[in-house]
Amino acid sequence: MKIHSVFSIFTLCFMASCSNTKTTNYLVGTYTNDVSHGINLVNFNQELKSLTIEKVISGVENPSFVIANKSKTIIVTVEEIALAKGGKVTSFSYDEKTESITKRNSIFTNGDHPCTVAFSPNENFVLVGNYSGGSLSVFPIDKNGMLSESSNFIQYEGQSVNKERQEKPHVHCIVVHPKENIIAVADLGRDAIELIPFDENSKSFLINEKAITTNVKMGSGPRHLVWNKAGNRLYVTYELTNEVAAFEYSKGKLTELQTIALTKEKTNGSTAELRLSKDEKFIYASVRGVDNHIVVMKIMNDKLEKVQTIATERTPRNFILSENQKSVLVASQGSNLISVFDRNEKTGWLTKTSITVSINQPVYLFPF
């Protein structure tokens, strides 16, 4: 496979997609240990169940979480590193006419190891959570993908009961509410979920002084979050206790409804990603470390019921349901693989296939 630089030209009209076969491209965030590594662009043929690497965007270090805007003209990634001014957030532009991808700029995040990134609803801002820095940064971004210096910065303080993992704040996830102008932020280090109002017309975007903190079970370590479409349920992975919790959201308040265990034993922190099916009948969670599996849960009458546990390759981090909901792609960092599982839409159950692609330490997938 030929490795290209970030300034090279690539073609997105692949053989499979040009033959009217349903395909989806994914940006794959990775950890890098060689200059040839970077953001991978993979193509998944949903009918033929083929998975291929189409391009590697090099020139970025540890682009663990990568996203694109709605029109797929801008790509933004964190660089999960720790320098004098923290990690980096880096942007690229994609020109459909010339089929080229170009690096725009990089800015320091003022916090170490940024590991989550999100666009604001109008895509005028990029939000970055710094894991080791325990902070949240806001960056204006223009229509060409140029980032400006941070317009807002929130430094969290505090800790929780797990002395090894919760010695300080650890921001791990940012999700925008589907209907209201608020974001939810998971802080693994403080056992807290922050609800922060925002104003797209404000230079600072976030209204810091109106943030509401929800304290969750001590020692649980909230990691990833997902809203349902109605915005009245928030689901959370508890990394340190291997659990998933469901919260009711109403009038600015979160109330925990249920917590379900994903493993028989509460090992030293391993639950990672959380995904909700389009029909909102099933929710999926990945568990790493000793377990290495995906847990399938059915949602009935607002109650979670575990229906399947299926083994994966080593260290399953992020995973994603395909556009047609018939497949699940799992990024297994420890095995340097993305694996494909068949999905039964009625039962939610997964079945492992032999389809894989080798990628250096894949940790995130985003449709592109």
Side-chain angles (χ1 to χ4, degrees):
M1 180 184 67
K2 185 178 180 181
I3 305 298
H4 304 269
S5 74
V6 294
F7 303 102
S8 64
I9 296 175
F10 69 96
T11 301
L12 284 178
C13 184
F14 309 124
M15 183 180 299
S17 59
C18 290
S19 63
N20 295 321
T21 301
K22 183 61 177 177
T23 66
T24 304
N25 298 312
Y26 294 97
L27 297 166
V28 180
T30 70
Y31 289 119
T32 57
N33 49 27
D34 187 273
V35 293
S36 65
H37 298 155
I39 301 168
N40 283 247
L41 179 68
V42 301
N43 176 259
F44 179 57
N45 185 313
Q46 297 182 70
E47 295 180 6
L48 302 178
K49 302 283 180 65
S50 64
L51 188 63
T52 56
I53 298 174
E54 302 297 335
K55 179 179 176 61
V56 177
I57 306 170
S58 58
V60 285
E61 187 176 359
N62 293 342
S64 56
F65 283 70
V66 56
I67 60 174
N69 64 346
K70 297 181 186 76
S71 61
K72 313 303 181 190
T73 59
I74 299 171
I75 298 169
V76 177
T77 184
V78 297
E79 295 191 51
E80 194 175 329
I81 55 179
L83 301 174
K85 295 183 180 180
K88 293 181 182 180
V89 58
T90 300
S91 63
F92 306 85
S93 62
Y94 171 65
D95 188 329
E96 186 178 9
K97 292 182 179 179
T98 61
E99 297 179 337
S100 62
I101 187 167
T102 307
K103 181 178 177 180
R104 303 302 293 173
N105 67 330
S106 293
I107 293 182
F108 287 107
T109 63
N110 297 313
D112 290 346
H113 300 117
C115 74
T116 182
V117 59
F119 274 104
S120 67
N122 290 348
E123 301 181 337
N124 296 321
F125 297 90
V126 169
L127 314 176
V128 175
N130 301 299
Y131 180 77
S132 295
S135 56
L136 185 62
S137 304
V138 178
F139 300 90
I141 187 168
D142 67 19
K143 300 304 179 184
N144 298 314
M146 285 293 294
L147 293 157
S148 298
E149 291 292 338
S150 178
S151 61
N152 195 353
F153 179 78
I154 302 174
Q155 178 64 62
Y156 294 108
E157 302 291 342
Q159 57 189 15
S160 193
V161 296
N162 187 321
K163 294 181 179 180
E164 293 183 359
R165 299 293 311 279
Q166 297 180 305
E167 79 291 359
K168 61 180 180 178
H170 290 301
V171 174
H172 214 309
C173 186
I174 302 167
V175 290
V176 180
H177 192 278
K179 297 182 180 294
E180 297 182 20
N181 288 351
I182 59 169
I183 66 167
V185 180
D187 188 336
L188 182 149
R190 293 186 300 130
D191 284 324
I193 299 171
E194 299 287 342
L195 297 179
I196 312 174
F198 64 80
D199 180 357
E200 288 271 11
N201 298 315
S202 168
K203 291 183 179 180
S204 61
F205 181 67
L206 295 177
I207 307 173
N208 303 10
E209 64 274 15
K210 292 187 178 181
I212 298 173
T213 302
T214 300
N215 296 311
V216 301
K217 184 171 58 175
M218 298 289 282
S220 59
R223 177 184 171 99
H224 279 189
L225 312 170
V226 61
W227 292 104
N228 66 349
K229 294 173 187 175
N232 62 352
R233 293 291 181 272
L234 180 67
Y235 299 98
V236 184
T237 53
Y238 288 159
E239 176 176 340
L240 303 184
T241 53
N242 294 337
E243 295 171 316
V244 167
F247 286 80
E248 178 185 40
Y249 172 76
S250 179
K251 298 179 180 180
K253 182 180 179 181
L254 288 172
T255 303
E256 188 166 343
L257 300 174
Q258 181 188 9
T259 300
I260 184 169
L262 302 178
T263 56
K264 292 181 180 179
E265 296 181 3
K266 295 179 181 179
T267 55
N268 190 27
S270 54
T271 299
E273 185 58 83
L274 191 66
R275 296 286 189 182
L276 187 62
S277 62
K278 282 184 180 180
D279 60 14
E280 300 191 342
K281 293 181 179 180
F282 299 94
I283 195 161
Y284 298 78
S286 58
V287 185
R288 306 161 291 164
V290 175
D291 304 284
N292 296 306
H293 59 230
I294 300 287
V295 178
V296 185
M297 289 156 281
K298 188 175 184 178
I299 304 173
M300 285 191 64
N301 301 320
D302 286 332
K303 291 292 184 180
L304 301 178
E305 178 188 351
K306 188 162 62 174
V307 295
Q308 185 194 24
T309 296
I310 184 168
T312 65
E313 301 295 335
R314 288 184 294 112
T315 325
R317 286 279 300 264
N318 179 262
F319 59 93
I320 196 166
L321 277 68
S322 63
E323 180 66 23
N324 64 7
Q325 302 284 284
K326 294 181 179 179
S327 301
V328 173
L329 281 65
V330 180
S332 293
Q333 178 186 352
S335 294
N336 297 317
L337 284 177
I338 293 180
S339 306
V340 178
F341 290 73
D342 289 335
R343 176 177 180 266
N344 185 308
E345 294 176 85
K346 292 183 179 180
T347 65
W349 280 51
L350 304 181
T351 304
K352 191 173 184 179
T353 74
S354 60
I355 303 163
T356 63
V357 65
S358 296
I359 292 177
N360 186 75
Q361 297 189 71
V363 293
Y364 195 69
L365 291 138
F366 191 88
F368 185 68

